[in-house]
Amino acid sequence: MKSLVFALPLFTMALNGLSFAFSAEAPRGNITFQSFNKAKKVMEHSVIPGYRVTLYCQASFDEDKNVKLPVGFKTSVHQKRVSRVEWEHVVPAENFGRFFVEWREGSPKCVDNRGRAFKGRKCAEKENIIFRYMQSDMYNLYPSIGAVNAERGNKNFEILPSSIPNTFGSCAMKISGNKAEPPQASRGVIARTYKYMAYAYPDYFRMSPRQARLMDAWDKSYPVQKWECERAKKIQALQGNENPFVSTHCKR
């Protein structure tokens, strides 16, 4: 099994019956949280207070995740998920999950109580600790209106033709086919998240050259915002690693 990326020198540590290579320096990725549900709760209680705003539609929400929809927001799909906030993986779990054999092929241990084999996210989560770390990485988790999260799914980001209308009315999120174009307000945040995930987990997530060029362009065109710095500082204190694509700008 491949290990997370660490700088030399290395030493070995036993963890949940598995051996991993670690260094004396801080890891690039998350090695603190294995539970996606726990990571979401920590985000809710310790990271987002003071800035409860959804990523794509800039909608405010309260501590119970009740969302105040922007004026003019509309949708014809996922009506039951419109009024609630959900936690979205900006880099979809499937995009890195397919790098894991448990996701693609399953595992001898991935058998349900009826003796049926299963694979995909459920198997990767059950059998691979690195997948659990990636799935629970708080730098990749952002609040989203449930309907928007559902419709975006695992679609890759792209610039769509100007003739395509907004999918959610006043919220400038466009989804067409298997592509999604986010509003300008979220593009820099998205870019720095994608770049972080590729940096932190190079054996398990890689962008295509086209995707990398787009994220570089968005990173440069949409500078780091104050709330990003505050968010990254909190996550670093809780998770133990930094997102250098954000933190280096916050130190200036």
Side-chain angles (χ1 to χ4, degrees), residues 56 85 173 237:
Y56 302 123
V85 164
M173 180 77 161

Side-chain angles (χ1 to χ4, degrees), residues 227-239:
W227 71 266
E228 281 186 82
C229 291
E230 294 172 350
R231 176 183 184 275
K233 185 177 180 180
K234 290 178 181 178
I235 292 176
Q236 183 173 354
L238 293 162
Q239 191 166 277

